[in-house]
Amino acid sequence: MNTVEQAEYDDVSYQQPSRLGLLYATLKKHAFLIFWILFTGFFIASYAIQIPKGYSQELLILGLIYLYTTLYLFFCFVPNTIVTKPWNYVLNSISDVLCRRFSRRVLTIAWAVIVIVVIVATVFSFPEKDESPRIRRLIALFGFVVLIFGTWITSAHPKAVQWNTISTAMFIQFILALFVFRSSVGSDIFTWLATFAEAFLGYSYFGSDFVFGDTAANSGVFAITVFPAIIFFASVVQMLYYLGTIQFVLKKLSVVCATLLDISGAESIVTIASPFIGSSENALLIEPLIKHLTKSEIHMIMTCGFATISGSTLYGYIAMGVSAKALLTSCIMSIPCSIGISKLRYPETEESIVKNMKTVPTYADSATTTNIIHAAGKGAKVGIEIVFLIMANLIALLSLLNAFNGFLTWAGHFLTIQNLTLQMVTGYVFVPIAWLIGVDDKDLVSVGTLMATKIWANEFAAYQDMTAHYKGLLSARSELVATYALCGFANFGSVGTQVGVLSTLAPNRSGDVAKLAISALICGTLSTWLSASIAGMLV
């Protein structure tokens, strides 16, 4: 049984602390205590004033922030071993008892059965609704099983699959979805997060207004609406890296991820980081280690990049009219799902050198950042590079796609087929998948076409079609399921990006990266489809 361990920061170089640093270290605990007392006073006063006015999401979020702050400050004074030692003792005791009485195979099967029973019982325990009949939930559940089974029978090493990891990953994904869809607290938290993300990223308007003018900023042009938000968020991410916030989040979450899912530290860090910094930048976190990774680890790193979107592009989709709550939920659900699917398709068969990695490496070039203003400027540089990459990909891929569609349309005229396009052809191929993930029957072709657009072009083009051409035509259920199915970087343009980045960082592994790329692309796509099928079960 894995024990809970503490990840640490990667100490690149030791520097003698300054006098101000020594003074801060001396007074830190006193400052924390004073801060907690002041925050507690603010918290009590806020609740005393606001509670008589009724419940609000802001009160819930404030309560969660206060709880987290209190626990964080508590463990600044008290070692966390008072929790981890009893927890590990209980887990190891239970594990020892079970392992003595039952074989590993029996325990694995028992856990898989428990997960299946919990999912089935939960899905069909909720009352039937017009937009969510039980037959539609049954179809989505059947699709969930079919997608997992299909991945297993095509596995590179089916006998090496660690089913405990797969079962736990799918269970975590389902619990996260259940928390959002069927819990008022979970719904309120993610609704607030979606509102906050939309409002926060919306501040990029003031920058674009200053640069382009009020008329251009309000024109609704894709580039002017979306690209400033990407530059703004990239700048914020670099500032948070300079302050150590991103490393702190990664350190905590990667420990949980590695412990529960039995994956290497390098894998857990990159997987957790993907929704924050994107499918290419995440690899920079473990740049020195890439050359030592096993094929399974490389496959999983690429898969998690394909299965999620990055925070820097989030506002672009929101600006199109896509549900921010669905996007955020899909990103989080795809973390355990991408791990499970990748380990099912390409399980570990080699000895991992980075299995017990406990450090969170610093971000590329972060050691040379002198202050927070410098960090903001470097973030803007990263943002503009992302913007140009997106713009170049959109121009190239959409031009090529429409050129090929022009040829198909010309060829189709000889067979009296009107408007024959690649999206139409592959859209019909994806109709069974759309049915399996729970899309309403009347929308199967439309959603299949959107899924094809996402694969051949990218998710930007697919979301643009969904919010423009199919707005009001899809049912609420079909639109929600499609939002989850499209929420990822799994497209052929991203394949080139990931292969290029990883091959540059580790030239000696370029052959392995190229061989695993298409498999990882398929697994990233499957991850978004599995998230969509769970949404189809619980909507």
Side-chain angles (χ1 to χ4, degrees):
M1 177 68 70
N2 288 331
T3 57
V4 177
E5 298 175 328
Q6 185 67 33
E8 301 295 341
Y9 294 111
D10 187 14
D11 191 9
V12 178
S13 60
Y14 177 77
Q15 296 180 349
Q16 185 70 25
S18 62
R19 292 183 179 180
L20 184 61
L22 291 173
L23 180 62
Y24 170 75
T26 304
L27 301 177
K28 180 173 68 173
K29 292 187 176 181
H30 298 86
F32 281 174
L33 182 60
I34 294 172
F35 170 78
W36 181 82
I37 293 173
L38 294 174
F39 190 20
T40 301
F42 170 78
F43 174 76
I44 294 173
S46 299
Y47 265 57
I49 294 172
Q50 298 298 329
I51 283 181
K53 299 178 182 179
Y55 169 80
S56 68
Q57 294 175 359
E58 284 74 15
L59 287 177
L60 172 64
I61 298 302
L62 177 61
L64 292 174
I65 293 174
Y66 178 77
L67 176 62
Y68 170 79
T69 303
T70 299
L71 291 175
Y72 175 80
L73 295 179
F74 175 78
F75 286 112
C76 287
F77 292 86
V78 179
N80 58 14
T81 51
I82 67 170
V83 174
T84 57
K85 281 188 176 180
W87 174 261
N88 290 332
Y89 174 78
V90 172
L91 286 182
N92 290 330
S93 298
I94 296 174
S95 177
D96 290 341
V97 171
L98 292 176
C99 290
R100 282 198 301 266
R101 295 188 177 184
F102 306 100
S103 67
R104 180 178 178 85
R105 183 176 183 181
V106 170
L107 292 175
T108 299
I109 294 173
W111 173 232
V113 170
I114 290 172
V115 171
I116 293 171
V117 169
V118 169
I119 292 176
V120 173
T122 303
V123 167
F124 293 104
S125 65
F126 295 115
E128 197 169 23
K129 298 185 295 184
D130 292 338
E131 67 275 14
S132 181
R134 286 196 172 91
I135 184 63
R136 193 58 61 184
R137 298 181 201 169
L138 177 62
I139 292 172
L141 178 61
F142 174 70
F144 185 81
V145 175
V146 167
L147 292 174
I148 292 177
F149 180 74
T151 306
W152 175 67
I153 62 175
T154 60
S155 174
H157 310 285
K159 294 183 178 180
V161 173
Q162 297 295 318
W163 284 103
N164 280 339
T165 297
I166 312 305
S167 301
T168 304
M170 299 308 164
F171 182 70
I172 293 173
Q173 184 189 27
F174 181 79
I175 293 299
L176 288 171
L178 186 67
F179 181 65
V180 175
F181 284 107
R182 295 291 182 170
S183 163
S184 59
V185 173
S187 178
D188 285 348
I189 290 174
F190 276 86
T191 299
W192 184 88
L193 287 173
T195 304
F196 171 79
E198 185 173 357
F200 180 73
L201 293 174
Y203 287 119
S204 62
Y205 166 83
F206 296 99
S208 59
D209 180 40
F210 179 82
V211 173
F212 301 113
D214 182 67
T215 303
N218 291 301
S219 65
V221 175
F222 175 82
I224 297 177
T225 302
V226 174
F227 291 166
I230 295 175
I231 297 171
F232 170 54
F233 186 79
S235 182
V236 170
V237 167
Q238 287 290 336
M239 292 169 68
L240 292 176
Y241 257 102
Y242 176 76
L243 296 173
T245 306
I246 297 292
Q247 295 95 315
F248 175 79
V249 173
L250 293 179
K251 179 177 69 173
K252 301 301 180 183
L253 294 181
S254 63
V255 170
V256 176
C257 190
T259 302
L260 291 178
L261 299 175
D262 193 25
I263 59 176
S264 69
E267 290 174 303
S268 63
I269 288 170
V270 173
T271 304
I272 295 296
S274 293
F276 291 95
I277 59 176
S279 60
S280 299
E281 296 85 348
N282 58 1
L284 296 174
L285 292 172
I286 58 167
E287 178 181 354
L289 305 176
I290 295 176
K291 59 185 177 182
H292 301 300
L293 298 180
T294 65
K295 292 181 180 179
S296 177
E297 289 168 341
I298 292 175
H299 187 271
M300 207 205 77
I301 288 172
M302 297 181 73
T303 297
C304 69
F306 288 130
T308 60
I309 59 173
S310 67
S312 57
T313 60
L314 180 65
Y315 186 75
Y317 312 125
I318 297 173
M320 296 178 190
V322 182
S323 168
K325 180 179 175 182
L327 292 171
L328 288 171
T329 309
S330 180
C331 284
I332 295 175
M333 288 171 59
S334 290
I335 291 174
C337 186
S338 62
I339 294 172
I341 286 296
S342 180
K343 292 303 181 183
L344 187 59
R345 175 69 182 85
Y346 209 103
E348 188 64 83
T349 57
E350 305 171 72
E351 186 66 30
S352 174
I353 298 177
V354 298
K355 175 70 175 178
N356 299 314
M357 173 185 172
K358 300 178 185 178
T359 59
V360 179
T362 55
Y363 195 50
D365 297 330
S366 61
T368 62
T369 305
T370 55
N371 54 47
I372 196 167
I373 302 299
H374 188 197
K378 292 176 70 174
K381 178 186 175 183
V382 172
I384 200 66
E385 291 173 352
I386 295 173
V387 162
F388 279 119
L389 181 62
I390 292 174
M391 182 172 63
N393 277 330
L394 283 172
I395 293 173
L397 292 174
L398 292 179
S399 300
L400 290 169
L401 181 61
N402 281 279
F404 189 73
N405 284 341
F407 169 76
L408 288 179
T409 301
W410 175 76
H413 288 160
F414 295 100
L415 302 175
T416 67
I417 301 176
Q418 301 297 320
N419 299 320
L420 182 64
T421 63
L422 189 61
Q423 295 97 309
M424 177 189 294
V425 175
T426 50
Y428 281 104
V429 174
F430 284 130
V431 163
I433 302 296
W435 181 79
L436 285 172
I437 62 178
V439 173
D440 287 334
D441 292 342
K442 73 178 186 67
D443 299 321
L444 292 177
V445 176
S446 299
V447 173
T449 302
L450 290 172
M451 294 164 70
T453 301
K454 185 244 185 171
I455 294 292
W456 294 114
N458 56 31
E459 71 290 341
F460 269 107
Y463 279 134
Q464 181 68 33
D465 284 349
M466 187 181 79
T467 56
H469 302 153
Y470 293 100
K471 189 65 176 177
L473 301 178
L474 301 177
S475 67
R477 175 188 179 83
S478 296
E479 184 173 339
L480 180 66
V481 172
T483 300
Y484 281 84
L486 302 176
C487 189
F489 287 143
N491 58 74
F492 286 105
S494 294
V495 172
T497 303
Q498 284 218 46
V499 170
V501 170
L502 291 174
S503 298
T504 300
L505 297 179
N508 64 317
R509 304 305 301 274
S510 58
D512 291 332
V513 171
K515 290 178 183 177
L516 297 171
I518 298 301
S519 175
L521 171 68
I522 294 171
C523 289
T525 304
L526 286 169
S527 298
T528 60
W529 291 352
L530 286 168
S531 295
S533 67
I534 290 180
M537 296 180 214
L538 297 176
V539 65

